[in-house]
Structure formats: structure tokens, C-alpha cells
């Protein structure tokens, strides 16, 4: 059945795969489908320019992707760097290239990498490249530029020189086609990176150049690392030299220092082609040379390019989708391509790598590095576990090694350095998500010990990850930043789930109790997650659109970041009906940025919010929101990612969305179902094949009408990873309008209440008797803020009045009705400051519109939502009289919804 909670019994002795198959405990994997030519659908330029976000996070205006040559998880990302591209290295709208460098991050929000710049030029060297590197930049024509997985091609008009790039795991390949000249040169900058110039070295020995490059400084940090390199040309140069600072020395074979580099010269009169290949290592020059010899033994660009294409095609074929438009296929496979670019291989062909203690170590498995934890824990980790279980096992091992060598699981690490970027404690969530989605083969006892250590004063590389843990434990919330409080609670939830999975009940209980401290930063009066003072009082008023006091977001956005207890959150909000209205209002905009009270797909904290509708038994809201985002915020243009990709996080969101299922609860094994974009999807894994069929699926059919799993129908809107871990077929029936599937309270995904006394279920109020009925009111503030706005069932507009004296709002129910309760939704729920929430008012009822009885009378209030229950009575007319329009002295009355119920 869907979402089975049963766990298979543990066996006291190992069983062979054959025995497990006979016992029925392992499902034999189906034969993999024939490979398709999928790299043709990848457009590496998607995400290389700015999106449409009106007020993005710093560094998050565009996808910050790069178009250059890389293979899955490659150590080398050989790509062009352009003048205005920070933080990615490359911007599509630029038409000059400053260099082709060996390292890049896919979508990080801070300037990074761009290590070891290589630039072909012609002519004499004038000013030293050490002091005028950008003066040698080459202009190019966009029509001459192209890119494909593992390959990049361009032509530098300034030098009339063609450039082609490809890559293996640990090496880059460059083919240069010069004009006929005796001054064809290759400049190698051993000092310059995206974060400044540092000490470097270069040694020229015939056709080989070797040296060490110093990089680092990610997000303003002082930490550095060394990248060792070996460059081999396909022929001996006719000349060479070096530079240091402002001095160029022809014939010099070596130099070192800041602003250093070297060049080699070729005569291309008879042969215009010059080829070079470069191996890198974080351990030594000798290892860089060994990597080069092992992975790129000859000078075969076509072979290197074909091998890279094959590597990508093999990875992309793990998910075969068919039946979509050319644009949808391009968006999907480009997103999947971006998902597999990070983390990066850190170990050399001999198994050596540089550990988090900076010692040279050796591992028998591939070691990975570079984790943007805060970004990737939300959906990337579960996706990579689903699609790459073998690689994910090594990723998990690598994270544990980092913790054992440095002190804690990595938070936001760059190569062998922890940089402590962003907030919270994401490492445990990444590992817990990997485990929940089937990843094994790593030391779970060591992993749990490291998770627990972070909460008990642990440090890594001399710094704490949970720097606010003391206050968190003392108050059960973080006063400095409510979003950080939610991050700590989210990590605690993941630790609890991991502890439970590996059998540690005591730690499960401890961390589940802490996980429920999310409720301590939710203010029922304002209806938002907000700042809470050290004495327990709440900061007031709350401006839902203001990013002040939140990490890359605002109150409107962070209030939904309780993905493991949406049920509790929705009850605190007043129930599913209010939650759906608030979500509908939230999705007024899809990429609102930091200073709008709307959804912001361009940054990770809100990635799971569309699935909050599921927990309110309103899955059609999820389907509509997800499909709108996929259509409007993701495109095939250079600005086609709605925000920086953050090492594959934003792209992972799109992949899950297109598959029709999404992991709404980081650290747990839950999958919410919302229906696929494509009619046919096949996910091939070692443990079995997941087939997702979408009958009628397509751009105009986003609503699920029904679902079967292996032929068994279910109205539940979720399942667990275990339900799809073997050979499984999910059949969705899709339609262009919402159905009844998943709309019962019993259909919603699980909320986790251990360690928590949940609030009483919100009362089910039934039908809003005032919805759409005739209304009158005091003179509105503006023509579009008339009385009807308060009775339209939506928070998208309001009744506003500046009339003198008492302001009234009245509805005619059309006939005498039994009336028993009223709900008022004030300015705060509409995204305005809670200072505008109504301060004092009364509610009256009447049968004839002349004789009125006051049934509710309140003053000195400031709540964003008010629910008043009265003894049931007959009424045709209901009237709200506002005597104090706002609690901050403002003179305008504002009511977003006035609802009347029988019960």
C-alpha cells in the first residue's frame, strides 16, 4: 500500500543477493531501457544571465551557471570568464573573454574559483599581464559561440583565434586555431582568481608547464587552498617567458609570487593548431601529472569530447522522459545536467586527497568536496540519492571523513576548507536525506556522533557551526534571527529521523523535542514566524514583506518553512481554509524577491512551499503553483533560471517538479505527488526501475484526477521512498481542471508530532455564508477597495475606508440564516504591516437591516485573524463597525475578508 510504515526485519547474518531475491526481500531490477541521445537537449547557456526577480538576494539575480566543459562531478570545469560575470565567471550578455580558467561553481552566490587562467593571444606583449591582465581580453561574436555537455567553442575576434574546450574528470583539453603568425602565444596566469591575486608559481620545461596556484577567499573568507597543475602542449614552443608584477622577462623559465605567470610562443605559419591539456590536483604537481597521464594520454580532442558526451549521456539516461515539447525537454535535461555538476571529485587517480585537516590522505573510494549545505538539503540531496545511489554513498562517506578530520559535518565548504556560509546546521539534513532515500555504505555511527557533536559545543577547523546553540537551548528559540531558529529546528528534525533509523531512541526523543521548538517563533497573534525577544515578548509590528531580521527572506516567506509539521502550522493559522487563502495570496507573484510578501522561487527557503497545499487537502493548489513556476520562471533563455543555481539546488527543484513528485520534508522519506509534466518517465536505478506514466499529461493538464501504484488506486497525495525503491509503476491520470483526488483530510501527507503537543484541530466552519453576497460599506479609500473585496473569498484585495468616525462594512446574506461565528482577516494576512490590523470593532446582526443587535465587541486588539463564536441566532444582515481602524494609529480601516458561518 502507499506510504507503508512497515520496516523489513533485520537479518542477523548477511544474505546473498540471490538469497534475498528468493526470499522476496529484494526486487530484481528490470533491464535498463535502450539509451537515448539526450545530451542534444542540454543547453549549457541556460542560467548564465539575470532572471526577472525584482529584488533578489545578493549574487542571486541569475542562475550563475557556466557554459564550459565539465563531466559529471568533475574536478575540472574548463570555462570562459567574462568581465561582469561575478559570481559565476561567465555572463551571456558579455562579449569579451578575459581568460579560460579551470574551476567554477555551478550557481554559487559569492565570487569563487576561476583558478589558473589561460588565454590565447597574438602579437607582442606590451604591458605586463601581471598588472594589466584584463587588457588582453579578447572580444568575440555571439554567433561564433556554442556549447554542449563536455564541450565549448568560440572565436576571439581580437586575435582571430578559435578556441575549443573539453574535459575529463581531472583534466582539461584546449585546442587553439591561430592565424598564420610567428607570435601565437598562450598566457598562463598563476596568480589571478575571482577573489583576487595571490601567490603562485610557474615552471616552463619545453612543452610542459607546471606550478602551483593559490585560490580561496570564498564569500570573503581568509582561507586559501593550493591547486597544483601540469600543462602539456602537443609541440615545443618557439619561445617562452614569465612575468612578475609589471616586469615581463623573455626567456625566463620560472617565476613565483603575486601577479605572476608565464607564456609560450608558437609559429603557426605552417600549422595553425596548437593543443594543450592540463591536469590538476589538490595534493601535488606529481599527482597533477599522474592525473594527466591517466586520463588524457594523447592529444585527441574528438575522443575527449566524445568520452565527455558519453559520460553525460549515461547520467542523463538514468531518467528518460518522452512526449514533451522541445522546450520542456531542454529545460528538463539542462536542469538534470546542472544537478550532476557538484559536488566535485577531490581525490586523484592514485586515491590521494587533501583532507579537512589539510593532511594528504588516501581513500579507496572517490572522495568529493564542495557542499552548499543550506541550499542543497531541501531537494537536491534526496534527488541525487534517488538517481545516483553509488555516487551518493561516496558523497556521504566524504562528508563523514570531513567531519572526522575537521571536527563537524561540512556546512558550506569549498575544497578542503569550511567557510561557515549561511545559517543553520545543514550537514545533518543532507546526510539524513541521503539515508532516507536509500543511501547506505557509510559509517552511520560516526555520522550520528558528528550530528550530535554539533549540538554540544563541537567545532570544525576552529569554528562553530551552531554559534547560537546556547541561546537556542536556553530559550528554545533563537532571538537574533527567527529564520535561524527554524534552521536549527529543521536540523534537529533530521537528526531525530536519522537517529530513529539507526536505532538510537534516546537521541530520537531528544532531537524531536527540539525540532518542535519551531512553534516558539510562530506568533499566533501576527500569524507569522517572527522575531521574539529574549524575554519572550514579540517584536511588533511585523512587516511581512521586510527582509530585516531574516536570512535571505522575509516573514511571509519563512512562515512556511515548517515542512515536517505543516499540520500543526495550518491549525495554528486557523485551519485549511485560511491556509489555502494565504497560500493563494502568497503565489500572487512567483519570484518576488526579498521585499515582497510573495513566493520567491529564486531562493531555497521557499522551494517546498507549493506542497503546503497538500497538507490543507488542496492538492490542486500545489499542481497549479508548480506548473506556473515551471512555465513562467524557468525558460530556455540565458536568464532562464529564476535565481542562482546554488550547486544544483534550483535545478533539482525543476527535475522533481517535472517528475510529478517532490520530497517536502528534508531528512525524511516522504514524497508528495502532484503529477508529471511528461506522459512517460522511466527512472533506472540499481535497485529497480521507477516508471511514471501521465495519461493526458502536458502543459494544459496539470491537475491529478487519480493515481495508481502498481495497479492499486489511492486517494492519498503522498508515498514513501520505500514505495518506489524497487520496480514500481505510478500511473497518473491528468486533467485540465481540478478533481476530487486527495481532497479528504485523511489524504494529506504526514506531519510529525512526536515531542510536541499539537494545537487543537481548527474548527471546521463549513460554508462561508457571506461569500459573494451583496455588500455595502463606508466610502472606500480607492475604487478597487470597495466592500465586495471583503467578501470574495480571497486575500488578493481588501476593503479600505478613510471615512470619518465609525467605519462600517455590511453584507446581505440574501435570506435569514442561522449565524454562529465570524472570521475577520486583517491587514497582516494580506501582506501589510500588522500595525494596520484593526484595533477595536463590533459585529452586529439584523433580520431587517434596521434593528441591530451587537453580538461581538472587542477593543485593544491587534491580531491578524480574529475568530468570534456566538450563540447561534437568525440573521440576514451582518455588520462590522470599526471604531479604531488600526493598532498603530493609522486612520484607515482595512479588512481583507469578513466571513460569516452558521457554526
Amino acid at each position: 500500500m502507499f506510504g507503508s510504515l512497515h520496516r523489513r526485519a533485520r537479518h542477523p547474518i548477511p544474505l546473498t543477493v540471490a538469497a534475498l531475491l528468493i526470499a522476496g526481500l529484494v526486487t530484481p531490477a528490470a533491464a535498463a531501457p535502450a539509451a537515448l541521445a539526450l545530451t542534444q537537449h542540454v543547453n549549457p547557456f541556460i542560467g548564465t544571465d539575470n532572471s526577472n526577480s525584482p529584488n533578489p538576494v545578493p549574487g542571486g539575480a541569475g542562475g550563475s551557471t557556466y557554459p564550459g566543459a565539465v563531466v559529471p562531478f568533475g574536478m575540472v570545469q574548463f570555462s570562459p570568464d567574462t568581465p561582469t560575470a561575478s559570481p559565476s565567471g561567465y555572463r551571456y550578455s558579455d562579449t569579451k573573454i578575459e581568460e579560460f580558467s579551470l574551476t567554477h561553481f555551478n550557481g554559487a552566490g559569492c565570487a569563487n574559483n576561476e583558478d589558473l587562467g589561460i588565454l590565447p593571444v597574438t602579437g607582442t606583449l606590451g604591458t605586463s599581464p601581471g598588472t594589466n591582465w584584463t587588457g588582453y581580453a579578447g572580444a568575440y561574436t555571439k554567433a561564433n559561440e556554442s556549447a554542449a555537455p563536455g564541450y565549448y567553442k568560440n572565436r576571439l575576434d581580437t586575435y582571430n583565434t578559435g578556441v575549443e574546450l573539453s574535459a575529463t574528470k581531472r583534466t582539461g583539453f584546449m585546442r587553439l586555431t591561430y592565424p598564420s603568425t610567428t607570435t601565437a602565444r598562450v598566457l598562463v596566469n598563476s596568480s589571478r582568481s575571482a577573489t583576487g591575486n595571490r601567490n603562485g608559481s610557474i615552471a616552463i620545461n619545453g612543452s610542459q608547464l607546471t606550478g602551483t596556484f593559490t585560490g580561496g577567499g570564498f564569500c570573503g573568507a581568509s582561507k586559501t587552498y593550493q591547486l597544483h597543475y601540469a600543462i602539456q602542449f602537443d609541440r615545443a614552443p618557439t619561445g617562452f617567458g614569465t612575468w612578475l608584477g609589471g616586469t615581463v622577462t623573455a626567456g625566463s623559465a620560472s617565476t613565483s609570487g603575486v601577479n605572476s605567470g608565464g607564456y609560450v610562443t608558437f609559429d603557426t605559419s605552417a600549422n595553425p593548431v596548437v593543443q594543450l591539456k592540463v591536469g590538476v590536483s589538490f595534493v601535488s604537481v606529481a599527482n597533477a601529472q599522474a592525473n594527466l597521464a591517466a586520463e588524457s594520454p594523447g592529444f585527441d580532442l574528438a575522443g575527449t569530447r566524445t568520452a565527455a558526451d558519453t559520460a553525460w549521456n549515461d547520467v542523463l539516461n538514468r531518467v528518460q522522459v518522452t512526449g514533451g515539447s522541445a522546450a520542456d525537454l531542454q529545460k528538463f535535461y539542462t536542469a538534470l545536467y546542472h544537478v550532476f555538476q557538484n559536488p566535485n571529485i577531490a581525490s586523484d587517480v592514485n586515491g590521494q586527497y587533501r583532507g579537512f585537516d589539510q593532511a594528504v590522505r588516501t581513500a579507496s573510494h572517490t572522495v568529493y568536496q564542495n557542499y552548499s549545505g543550506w541550499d542543497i538539503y531541501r531537494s537536491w540531496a534526496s534527488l541525487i540519492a534517488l538517481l545516483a545511489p553509488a555516487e551518493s554513498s561516496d558523497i556521504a562517506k566524504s562528508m563523514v571523513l570531513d567531519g572526522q578530520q575537521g571536527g563537524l559535518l561540512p556546512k558550506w565548504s569549498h575544497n578542503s576548507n569550511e567557510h561557515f556560509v549561511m545559517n543553520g546546521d545543514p550537514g545533518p539534513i543532507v546526510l539524513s536525506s541521503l539515508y532516507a532515500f536509500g543511501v547506505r555504505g557509510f559509517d552511520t555511527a560516526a555520522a550520528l556522533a558528528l550530528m550530535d557533536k554539533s549540538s554540544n559545543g563541537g567545532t570544525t577547523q576552529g569554528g562553530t557551526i551552531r554559534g547560537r546553540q546556547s541561546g537556542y537551548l536556553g530559550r528554545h528559540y533563537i532571538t537574533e534571527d527567527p529564520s535561524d531558529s527554524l534552521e536549527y529546528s529543521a536540523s534537529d528534525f533530521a537528526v531525530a529521523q536519522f537517529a530513529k533509523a539507526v536505532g538510537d531512541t534516546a537521541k530520537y526523543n531528544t532531537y524531536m523535542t527540539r525540532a518542535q521548538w519551531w512553534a516558539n517563533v510562530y506568533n499566533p497573534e501576527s500569524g507569522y514566524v517572527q522575531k521574539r525577544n529574549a524575554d519572550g515578548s514579540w517584536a511588533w509590528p511585523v512587516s511581512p514583506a521586510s527582509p530585516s531580521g531574516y536570512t535571505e527572506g522575509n516573514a511571509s516567506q519563512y512562515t512556511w518553512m515548517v515542512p515536517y509539521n505543516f499540520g500543526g502550522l495550518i491549525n495554528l493559522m486557523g485551519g485549511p481554509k485560511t491556509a489555502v487563502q494565504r497560500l493563494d495570496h502568497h503565489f500572487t507573484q512567483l519570484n518576488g524577491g526579498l521585499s515582497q510578501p510573495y513566493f520567491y522561487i529564486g531562493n531555497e527557503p521557499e522551494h517546498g512551499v507549493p506542497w503546503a497545499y497538500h497538507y490543507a487537502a488542496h492538492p490542486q493548489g500545489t499542481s497549479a503553483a508548480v506548473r506556473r513556476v515551471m512555465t513562467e520562471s524557468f525558460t530556455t533563455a540565458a536568464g532562464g533560471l529564476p535565481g542562482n543555481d546554488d550547486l544544483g539546488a534550483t535545478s533539482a527543484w525543476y527535475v522533481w517538479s517535472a517528475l510529478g513528485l517532490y520530497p517536502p520534508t528534508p531528512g525524511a522519506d516522504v514524497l508528495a505527488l502532484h503529477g508529471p509534466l511528461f506522459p512517460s518517465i522511466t527512472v533506472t536505478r540499481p535497485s529497480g526501475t521507477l516508471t511514471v506514466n501521465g495519461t493526458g499529461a502536458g502543459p494544459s493538464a496539470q491537475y491529478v484526477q487519480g493515481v495508481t501504484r502498481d495497479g492499486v488506486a489511492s486517494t492519498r497525495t503522498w508515498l514513501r521512498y520505500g514505495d518506489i525503491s524497487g520496480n514500481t509503476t505510478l500511473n497518473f491520470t491528468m486533467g485540465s481542471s481540478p478533481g476530487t483526488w486527495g481532497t479528504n483530510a485523511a489524504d494529506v501527507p504526514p506531519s510529525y508530532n512526536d515531542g510536541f503537543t499539537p494545537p487543537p484541530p481548527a474548527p471546521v466552519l463549513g460554508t462561508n455564508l457571506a461569500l459573494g453576497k451583496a455588500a455595502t460599506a463606508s466610502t472606500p479609500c480607492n475604487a478597487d477597495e470597495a466592500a465586495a473585496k471583503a467578501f470574495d473569498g480571497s486575500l488578493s484585495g481588501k476593503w479600505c475606508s478613510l471615512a470619518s468616525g465609525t467605519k462600517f462594512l455590511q453584507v446581505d446574506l440574501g435570506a435569514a440564516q442561522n449565524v454562529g461565528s465570524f472570521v475577520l482577516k486583517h491587514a497582516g494576512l494580506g501582506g501589510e504591516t500588522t500595525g494596520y490590523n484593526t484595533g477595536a470593532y463590533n459585529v452586529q446582526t439584523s433580520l431587517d437591516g434596521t434593528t441591530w443587535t451587537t453580538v461581538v465587541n472587542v477593543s485593544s486588539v491587534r491580531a491578524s485573524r480574529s475568530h468570534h463564536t456566538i450563540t447561534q441566532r437568525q440573521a440576514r444582515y451582518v455588520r462590522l463597525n470599526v471604531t479604531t481602524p488600526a493598532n498603530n494609529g493609522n486612520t484607515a480601516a482595512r479588512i481583507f475578508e469578513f466571513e460569516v458561518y452558521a457554526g
Side-chain angles (χ1 to χ4, degrees), residues 833-848:
T833 173
T834 59
Y836 291 163
N837 288 346
T838 316
Y841 56 89
N842 63 67
V843 178
Q844 298 177 314
T845 64
S846 174
L847 286 169
D848 58 8

Side-chain angles (χ1 to χ4, degrees), residues 478-487 521 529-531 549-550:
I478 291 172
T479 186
E480 296 90 344
D481 181 344
S483 57
D484 208 10
S485 200
L486 292 182
E487 294 287 356
V521 288
V529 165
Q530 65 168 99
K531 178 176 173 59
Y550 299 84

